[in-house]
Structure formats: C-alpha cells, structure tokens
Amino acid sequence: MKRIFIVTSLLFNALLFGTQISVIGEVFTQTWWGYCPDARAGLSQLADNHTNVIPLIWEGDGHNSPGYSQRGSMYGVGGIPHVEFNGHVDVVGGGTNMYPYYADVYSDLIDDDSPVYIDLVAYLNQDDGGLDIVADIVMTGDITTSDNKVVFFLTYKFSSEYFCTVVGYEYVDFELYGEGETGLYTHHFDVDPTWNMAVLNAIVLVQSYSSSSKEIYNGATTNLWQDPTMDMTLAYSGDWVTVGLPM
C-alpha cells in the first residue's frame, strides 16, 4: 500500500501560524432520562450549523457505547445529560433548547490554534471487511501534558436522534511533543456486516489522559472508505483540495 504526500502551502502555513482546531462535543446520555433528548438535539443542531464540529454520542443503554463508563469517569460525569467540549469545558443538563449554550462554547473554542495536524484515511480491509484507520500526525506546536493518547472512534447513525453513537473506541500512546515531529498511528476496527457504511464515521483525536488534564488537542473525521488495492497520491493544495491520482 503506497501513500505519497505532497504538502504545499497549507501545511507550511499550519506550521507557521497554527492549525485550525476542531470542536469535539461528547454527550453522555441514557434513554430513561427525559432531559437527554434536548442535549442530543442541541449537539445535532451545532454540527449542522457550524464547521469543524465533531459530535459523539455516548449511550449508556440502548446501543451501549463501548467505554461509556470509563470515558464518563474520566470527565467526572455525574448528572446527565453531560456534554464535554474538547475535554475541558462541560455543559450539564437539559429541559430547554440546549443549542444556544453549546453555540456559546463553540464560539469560545473555535478560534484557538491547535498544536496538532491530523491527516486521516480509512481503508476497507479486504480480508475481514473491517476498517483500517491511518492517522498521519504532524506537530505544528508544542504540548507539555503527559500520558497523551491517539484515540480512535467509530460512530454510527442509528436514527436522526442517535445520529453519531460511539460504536468503536480504542486508544494508543502518543509520544510526540515538539513542533515538527511526525508520527503514523493505525488501528483496525471490526465492522458489523449489518451496518450501512454510508452512515458510519471514523474519528481520531489527540488527547491528554493525564491526571491534571483531559484536553483534546485536535480531531479529524472521515466517512470516505479508500480501496487499499489502489495506490494513491494525496496532494494538498492551498485551498484544501485533495486530489487522488492512481500511481
């Protein structure tokens, strides 16, 4: 499998000026509590109305997201619905239109520069029908936290209400700290053969799992599944056009 990257003015500008951050919103929810639909609807509205939003629904029952309890404990989730933004801003509760509250958080976060640039590609595995997630990561700044991870997710749209339920969750150590460092990180997910691939998404985050910080430095998402049997050149131009050419 050949992958050649031609990085032009886009990555140069990222190294010089910083990388656009994504706003990751994680909602912890269960079916029995009447305020949870308000949170899911608010997060859906945020994703529909704003760019660079990555939503994640953690279901504690119903579709039972893997890692629900672990992830909730990491953020100190008590009452639900609880929405965690970028690992360090939370909004708890419902009972009203939650979108304005989430939009305010988005406005506070979206202008931040990220020290991490992630190029994400997902390949269909020809042997078992699963997905091979490949993240090429470039440090465009420095990070100082310890116990950092590359976090891999799959989300699935079960319905308009459960539009991004976490169905896959794994992580590996992330050992990059300084500007200019690069690394390649991969993970394989099995895929339920009954799933509709058109509503499945792969997501990668770089996040601190230290005792003092759970900050998410950046994220990337894709639902384009590449054919690994086709050699590709991925060329980045200054206007974010991605061109795939057979080699």
Coordinates of all heavy atoms in Angstrom, one line a residue, residues 22-26 71 74-76 82-90 105 109 205-208 210 212-217:
S22 N -10.6 21.6 15.8 CA -12.0 21.1 15.7 C -12.6 21.2 17.1 O -11.9 21.1 18.1 CB -12.0 19.6 15.3 OG -11.5 19.5 13.9
V23 N -13.9 21.4 17.1 CA -14.6 21.4 18.4 C -15.3 20.0 18.5 O -16.2 19.7 17.7 CB -15.7 22.5 18.4 CG1 -16.5 22.5 19.7 CG2 -15.0 23.9 18.3
I24 N -14.9 19.3 19.5 CA -15.4 17.9 19.8 C -16.4 18.0 20.9 O -16.1 18.4 22.0 CB -14.3 17.0 20.1 CG1 -13.4 16.8 18.9 CG2 -14.9 15.6 20.5 CD1 -12.2 17.7 18.8
G25 N -17.6 17.6 20.6 CA -18.7 17.6 21.6 C -19.1 16.2 21.9 O -19.6 15.5 21.0
E26 N -18.9 15.8 23.2 CA -19.3 14.4 23.6 C -20.5 14.5 24.6 O -20.3 15.0 25.7 CB -18.1 13.7 24.3 CG -16.8 13.7 23.5 CD -15.6 13.1 24.2 OE1 -15.7 11.9 24.6 OE2 -14.7 13.9 24.4
R71 N -15.1 6.4 30.0 CA -15.0 7.8 29.4 C -15.7 8.8 30.3 O -15.2 9.9 30.6 CB -15.5 7.8 28.0 CG -15.3 9.1 27.2 CD -13.9 9.1 26.6 NE -13.7 10.3 25.7 CZ -12.6 10.6 25.2 NH1 -11.5 9.9 25.4 NH2 -12.5 11.6 24.4
M74 N -13.7 9.5 33.4 CA -12.5 10.3 33.1 C -12.9 11.8 33.2 O -12.1 12.6 33.6 CB -12.0 10.0 31.7 CG -10.7 10.6 31.3 SD -10.1 10.0 29.7 CE -11.0 11.0 28.6
Y75 N -14.1 12.1 32.8 CA -14.6 13.5 32.8 C -15.4 13.9 34.1 O -15.9 15.0 34.2 CB -15.6 13.8 31.6 CG -14.9 13.8 30.3 CD1 -15.5 13.2 29.2 CD2 -13.7 14.4 30.1 CE1 -14.9 13.2 27.9 CE2 -13.0 14.4 28.8 CZ -13.7 13.8 27.8 OH -13.1 13.8 26.5
G76 N -15.5 12.9 35.0 CA -16.3 13.2 36.2 C -17.8 13.3 36.0 O -18.4 14.1 36.7
H82 N -24.7 15.2 30.0 CA -23.4 15.9 30.3 C -22.7 16.0 28.9 O -22.5 14.9 28.3 CB -22.6 15.1 31.3 CG -21.2 15.7 31.5 ND1 -20.8 16.0 32.8 CD2 -20.2 15.9 30.7 CE1 -19.6 16.5 32.7 NE2 -19.1 16.4 31.5
V83 N -22.4 17.2 28.5 CA -21.7 17.4 27.2 C -20.3 17.9 27.6 O -20.2 19.0 28.2 CB -22.4 18.3 26.2 CG1 -21.6 18.4 24.9 CG2 -23.8 17.8 26.0
E84 N -19.3 17.2 27.1 CA -17.9 17.7 27.3 C -17.3 18.2 26.0 O -17.4 17.5 25.0 CB -17.1 16.5 27.8 CG -15.7 16.9 28.3 CD -15.8 17.4 29.8 OE1 -16.8 17.2 30.4 OE2 -14.8 18.0 30.2
F85 N -16.8 19.4 26.0 CA -16.3 20.0 24.8 C -14.8 20.1 24.9 O -14.2 20.7 25.8 CB -16.8 21.4 24.6 CG -18.3 21.4 24.1 CD1 -19.3 21.7 25.1 CD2 -18.6 21.2 22.8 CE1 -20.6 21.7 24.7 CE2 -20.0 21.3 22.4 CZ -21.0 21.5 23.4
N86 N -14.1 19.4 24.0 CA -12.6 19.4 23.8 C -11.9 19.0 25.1 O -10.8 19.4 25.4 CB -12.1 20.8 23.4 CG -12.4 21.0 21.9 OD1 -13.3 20.4 21.3 ND2 -11.6 21.8 21.2
G87 N -12.7 18.2 25.9 CA -12.1 17.6 27.1 C -11.9 18.5 28.3 O -11.4 18.1 29.3
H88 N -12.4 19.8 28.2 CA -12.1 20.7 29.3 C -13.2 21.7 29.6 O -13.1 22.6 30.5 CB -10.8 21.4 29.2 CG -10.7 22.3 28.0 ND1 -11.0 23.6 28.0 CD2 -10.2 22.1 26.7 CE1 -10.8 24.2 26.8 NE2 -10.3 23.2 26.0
V89 N -14.3 21.7 28.8 CA -15.5 22.6 29.0 C -16.7 21.7 29.1 O -17.0 20.9 28.1 CB -15.6 23.6 27.9 CG1 -16.8 24.5 28.2 CG2 -14.4 24.5 27.8
D90 N -17.5 21.8 30.1 CA -18.7 20.9 30.2 C -20.0 21.8 30.3 O -20.0 22.9 30.9 CB -18.6 19.9 31.3 CG -18.5 20.6 32.7 OD1 -19.5 21.1 33.2 OD2 -17.4 20.5 33.2
V105 N -20.2 27.9 23.7 CA -18.9 27.2 23.9 C -18.1 27.1 22.6 O -16.9 27.3 22.6 CB -19.2 25.8 24.5 CG1 -17.9 25.0 24.6 CG2 -19.9 25.9 25.9
L109 N -14.2 28.4 21.6 CA -13.1 27.4 21.3 C -12.6 27.5 19.9 O -11.4 27.2 19.6 CB -13.6 26.0 21.6 CG -14.0 25.6 23.0 CD1 -14.6 24.2 23.0 CD2 -12.7 25.7 23.9
L205 N -8.7 11.4 17.6 CA -8.4 12.6 18.4 C -7.0 12.4 19.0 O -6.5 11.3 19.1 CB -9.3 12.7 19.6 CG -10.8 12.7 19.4 CD1 -11.6 12.8 20.7 CD2 -11.3 13.8 18.4
V206 N -6.3 13.5 19.3 CA -5.1 13.5 20.1 C -5.5 14.2 21.4 O -6.0 15.3 21.4 CB -4.0 14.3 19.5 CG1 -2.8 14.4 20.4 CG2 -3.5 13.5 18.2
Q207 N -5.4 13.5 22.5 CA -5.9 13.9 23.8 C -5.0 13.5 25.0 O -4.3 12.5 24.9 CB -7.3 13.3 24.1 CG -7.9 13.7 25.4 CD -9.4 13.2 25.5 OE1 -9.8 12.2 24.8 NE2 -10.1 13.8 26.4
S208 N -4.9 14.4 26.0 CA -4.2 14.1 27.2 C -5.1 13.2 28.1 O -6.3 13.5 28.3 CB -3.8 15.4 28.0 OG -3.3 15.0 29.3
S210 N -3.8 12.6 31.2 CA -3.1 12.7 32.5 C -4.1 13.1 33.6 O -5.3 13.4 33.4 CB -2.1 13.9 32.4 OG -2.7 15.1 32.3
S212 N -4.1 15.6 35.4 CA -4.3 17.0 35.6 C -5.0 17.6 34.4 O -5.5 18.8 34.4 CB -3.0 17.8 35.8 OG -2.1 17.5 34.7
S213 N -5.1 16.9 33.3 CA -5.7 17.5 32.0 C -6.3 16.4 31.2 O -5.7 15.3 31.0 CB -4.6 18.2 31.2 OG -5.2 18.6 30.0
K214 N -7.5 16.7 30.6 CA -8.1 15.8 29.6 C -8.3 16.5 28.3 O -9.2 16.2 27.5 CB -9.4 15.3 30.1 CG -9.3 14.5 31.4 CD -8.5 13.3 31.3 CE -8.4 12.4 32.6 NZ -7.6 13.1 33.7
E215 N -7.4 17.5 28.1 CA -7.6 18.4 26.9 C -7.5 17.6 25.6 O -6.6 16.8 25.4 CB -6.6 19.5 26.9 CG -6.7 20.5 25.7 CD -5.8 21.7 25.9 OE1 -5.1 21.8 26.9 OE2 -5.8 22.5 24.9
I216 N -8.4 17.9 24.7 CA -8.3 17.4 23.3 C -7.6 18.4 22.4 O -8.1 19.5 22.3 CB -9.7 17.0 22.8 CG1 -10.3 15.9 23.6 CG2 -9.6 16.6 21.3 CD1 -11.8 15.6 23.2
Y217 N -6.5 18.0 21.9 CA -5.7 19.0 21.1 C -6.2 19.2 19.7 O -6.0 20.2 19.1 CB -4.2 18.5 21.1 CG -3.6 18.7 22.5 CD1 -3.3 17.6 23.3 CD2 -3.3 19.9 23.0 CE1 -2.7 17.7 24.5 CE2 -2.7 20.1 24.2 CZ -2.4 19.0 25.0 OH -1.9 19.1 26.3

